[in-house]
Amino acid sequence: MKPSLQLKLSQHLTLTPQLQQSIKLLQLSTIELNQEIERFLLDNPMLEREEGEGEFLPAAASTPSEQSHQEAPQGEGPAESGSEALQHEGGEGSSEDEGIDWSSVGTGASSRSEDDEDVDYQEFQAAGIALRDHLDQQIALSPLSDHDRALVRFIVEALDDDGYLHQPLEELLELLPPESGIELEDLSIALHHVQNLEPAGIGARSPQECLALQLRTLPECATRALALEVATKHLELLAERNFAKLKKLTGSDDEALRAAHALICSLDPHPGSRYSTSETRYVLPDVVVRKVRGRWSVSLNQDAMPRLRINRLYASLLQQNRAQGGGLGGQLQEARWLIRNVQQRFDTILRVSQAIVDQQRQFFDHGPVAMRPLTLREIADQLELHESTISRVTTQKYMATPRGVFELKYFFGSHVATDTGGAASSTAIRALIRQLVEAEDSKKPLSDAKIAEILGQQGIVVARRTIAKYRESLNIPPVSMRKSI
């Protein structure tokens, strides 16, 4: 076949590096954004933080009065969307960059007040002690022989994080060398020593034994004796709330059984969990909602905004020796891109947050029961943005409100039809279910069917299985588990 040249006209979408960076920054959380900026600061000498800005430290979510606020500028037009803003970007040396002193360009406020740099040492937590370390300290002070102390430590090493011993003593005995001469009775004695350590209930082999160990440390009384009988012999019936059968088996009346039930509920079925090390997750709100002159207004949280600018020294050197700038010209362009994209990211978050607050103002006035159905498409159409952009903005972005700190996605939810032809938000229905359960008679708790009937009387048509799904999402136990004496 004879080779030949052909011209073909086609269209395809090309994402510029700046647009790719804008999309990436938009979907990052605040902490991830700071990590990305730290990488840029290490790689690009043309970029630096504003003077007076300390290291970024994530802070626990706080009330709006504890946050730094800044009113959204009035009279300004809406921020451009990612694709629209980047279509106006010029390359290095473009006409829009002429005459601009990039050494003074930056993001965020120019300086911080002295109060912002004060450190609240109450936020620092003391390092917790592990369960095995806590038990080992007690073992070291116990009047045991070295042989017995070693066996007790051996038992402690076999405990799980809740303080339970799930392995039978026979299996533990097989792990020891035969020449040690240790018998099963020696391990039983060592286990007895472990069960005498604090906290009470450590070394138990079942929930019944754990509760019994804790009850035996309490002063003797009739309530303790009944609680010990229920915990060791009838714990399954208590879990099933079968109080009629419990009264028949124990021969007790309602008042005595109620007191024993309350005593058992006061015990800790996982005594070792209080010593488990759990990582604390911190949330830094991106925006703050306040009521100003009767209107709910959104402002950016200045503590969440990185303050960046072009390095003045390198910018002036590049301006004086533009011909010999080398790779600094490209790094200057990257620094300008990052500053613009970071600012655009927060502008987009502010626009979307304000649109959400305007749509859900009844929630801020009356609580979750007033939440209206809202979809990403509605906000996208209102702001003339793509639905995927709204999805990126509302993921891992948080809003501090007088009612708490919420992820932006919290304000979106499916709808359920009403008798009047309207729609109720699934979040509002969950709030109604919680209110009904909290106000119910514990002796006659509401079933899922009864809750569906009550909601139907209010004009909200919800199936029983939907009520069960929402109840489970709220971690509310079924009706049989909520019944009391």
Side-chain angles (χ1 to χ4, degrees):
M1 186 175 182
K2 184 178 179 180
S4 61
L5 296 177
Q6 294 181 350
L7 295 178
K8 184 178 180 181
L9 184 63
S10 63
Q11 292 182 340
H12 64 279
L13 179 63
T14 302
L15 294 179
T16 63
Q18 187 175 0
L19 180 56
Q20 294 178 14
Q21 183 187 83
S22 177
I23 294 175
K24 180 180 180 180
L25 296 181
L26 190 61
Q27 65 187 8
L28 296 179
S29 65
T30 302
I31 295 180
E32 292 171 342
L33 173 66
N34 185 77
Q35 295 173 348
E36 185 72 9
I37 289 176
E38 289 294 339
R39 186 181 67 82
F40 275 98
L41 290 171
L42 293 175
D43 296 340
N44 194 338
M46 300 297 299
L47 188 67
E48 68 176 5
R49 290 189 182 272
E50 287 281 358
E51 294 180 0
E53 182 184 6
E55 293 294 329
F56 177 90
L57 291 176
S62 57
T63 60
S65 60
E66 298 171 341
Q67 301 289 342
S68 299
H69 304 296
Q70 179 178 355
E71 287 297 330
Q74 302 294 328
E76 294 186 5
E80 295 176 323
S81 63
S83 58
E84 293 171 348
L86 298 177
Q87 288 174 358
H88 300 294
E89 294 292 342
E92 183 180 355
S94 61
S95 59
E96 67 172 347
D97 297 336
E98 295 297 333
I100 298 178
D101 182 11
W102 284 103
S103 62
S104 62
V105 176
T107 63
S110 58
S111 62
R112 281 189 172 189
S113 63
E114 294 181 358
D115 295 338
D116 292 338
E117 297 183 0
D118 294 338
V119 179
D120 185 6
Y121 291 99
Q122 294 181 354
E123 294 183 359
F124 293 90
Q125 298 180 354
I129 182 173
L131 174 63
R132 289 174 178 80
D133 295 336
H134 176 68
L135 297 178
D136 190 66
Q137 293 175 2
Q138 301 178 59
I139 296 172
L141 299 176
S142 60
L144 298 175
S145 63
D146 294 341
H147 178 268
D148 292 340
R149 189 176 289 110
L151 286 180
V152 171
R153 287 196 174 101
F154 176 70
I155 297 292
V156 168
E157 289 298 324
L159 301 180
D160 63 5
D161 293 337
D162 291 332
Y164 281 85
L165 179 65
H166 293 294
Q167 285 184 278
L169 294 179
E170 291 78 7
E171 291 185 6
L172 295 178
L173 182 61
E174 295 177 358
L175 300 177
L176 297 173
E179 59 272 12
S180 62
I182 298 175
E183 299 180 355
L184 186 62
E185 183 179 358
D186 298 326
L187 289 181
S188 300
I189 296 175
L191 177 60
H192 178 72
H193 288 306
V194 171
Q195 293 178 348
N196 287 330
L197 300 176
E198 291 292 334
I202 288 294
R205 289 161 288 187
S206 64
Q208 292 87 340
E209 186 177 13
C210 179
L211 298 177
L213 290 172
Q214 297 178 58
L215 288 171
R216 292 191 179 101
T217 62
L218 301 178
E220 293 188 7
C221 62
T223 301
R224 193 203 79 158
L226 179 58
L228 188 61
E229 180 183 359
V230 173
T232 54
K233 300 179 181 179
H234 313 296
L235 190 60
E236 293 81 4
L237 294 177
L238 183 64
E240 297 172 358
R241 301 293 197 273
N242 194 342
F243 297 110
K245 192 171 183 179
L246 277 175
K247 289 189 293 183
K248 182 178 180 180
L249 293 175
T250 59
S252 58
D253 55 11
D254 289 347
E255 183 178 354
L257 189 58
R258 188 181 298 111
H261 183 203
L263 180 59
I264 294 175
C265 290
S266 66
L267 305 177
D268 186 2
H270 308 286
S273 60
R274 70 186 71 170
Y275 298 95
S276 61
T277 56
S278 58
E279 182 180 357
T280 303
R281 296 186 61 187
Y282 293 92
V283 170
L284 186 67
D286 298 88
V287 293
V288 180
V289 179
R290 294 180 300 170
K291 198 168 189 178
V292 180
R293 297 179 181 177
R295 179 179 180 269
W296 291 103
S297 178
V298 181
S299 60
L300 292 172
N301 180 11
Q302 297 302 311
D303 289 340
M305 294 184 63
R307 296 163 175 83
L308 304 174
R309 69 180 182 185
I310 302 298
N311 186 288
R312 293 193 175 106
L313 176 61
Y314 284 105
S316 60
L317 291 176
L318 180 61
Q319 190 173 8
Q320 296 172 6
N321 304 280
R322 185 173 295 274
Q324 302 177 0
L328 289 179
Q331 291 180 327
L332 175 61
Q333 180 77 331
E334 291 179 358
R336 295 190 329 227
W337 283 356
L338 180 65
I339 291 174
R340 288 175 178 173
N341 288 334
V342 169
Q343 185 63 50
Q344 178 181 309
R345 173 187 185 271
F346 282 96
D347 289 343
T348 306
I349 292 175
L350 180 62
R351 292 182 60 203
V352 173
S353 300
Q354 185 63 60
I356 292 174
V357 170
D358 292 340
Q359 294 286 344
Q360 300 289 6
R361 57 184 178 275
Q362 295 296 329
F363 164 82
F364 296 97
D365 288 331
H366 307 291
V369 293
M371 184 82 77
R372 64 174 293 268
L374 185 63
T375 62
L376 298 177
R377 171 61 62 183
E378 294 181 52
I379 300 297
D381 293 341
Q382 177 181 344
L383 300 179
E384 298 182 354
L385 298 175
H386 196 274
E387 190 173 349
S388 62
T389 302
I390 306 300
S391 178
R392 292 187 181 97
V393 171
T394 56
T395 301
Q396 299 186 58
K397 313 299 188 302
Y398 295 89
M399 176 186 294
T401 74
R403 297 188 178 276
V405 178
F406 303 95
E407 188 179 11
L408 296 186
K409 278 193 178 298
Y410 171 78
F411 298 95
F412 298 87
S414 57
H415 67 277
V416 176
T418 62
D419 288 343
T420 58
S425 169
S426 59
T427 304
I429 295 176
R430 288 186 178 92
L432 290 173
I433 293 174
R434 183 178 293 278
Q435 287 184 0
L436 291 173
V437 171
E438 290 176 352
E440 69 183 3
D441 184 2
S442 59
K443 296 181 180 180
K444 296 180 180 180
L446 300 174
S447 63
D448 295 340
K450 185 62 177 179
I451 294 176
E453 180 183 347
I454 295 176
L455 293 180
Q457 295 172 358
Q458 300 179 10
I460 303 175
V461 182
V462 187
R464 185 200 59 80
R465 60 181 180 275
T466 305
I467 296 295
K469 181 180 69 174
Y470 288 167
R471 176 180 52 75
E472 291 174 359
S473 67
L474 295 171
N475 294 323
I476 298 176
V479 59
S480 61
M481 302 295 293
R482 304 199 307 270
K483 187 177 181 180
S484 63
I485 303 175

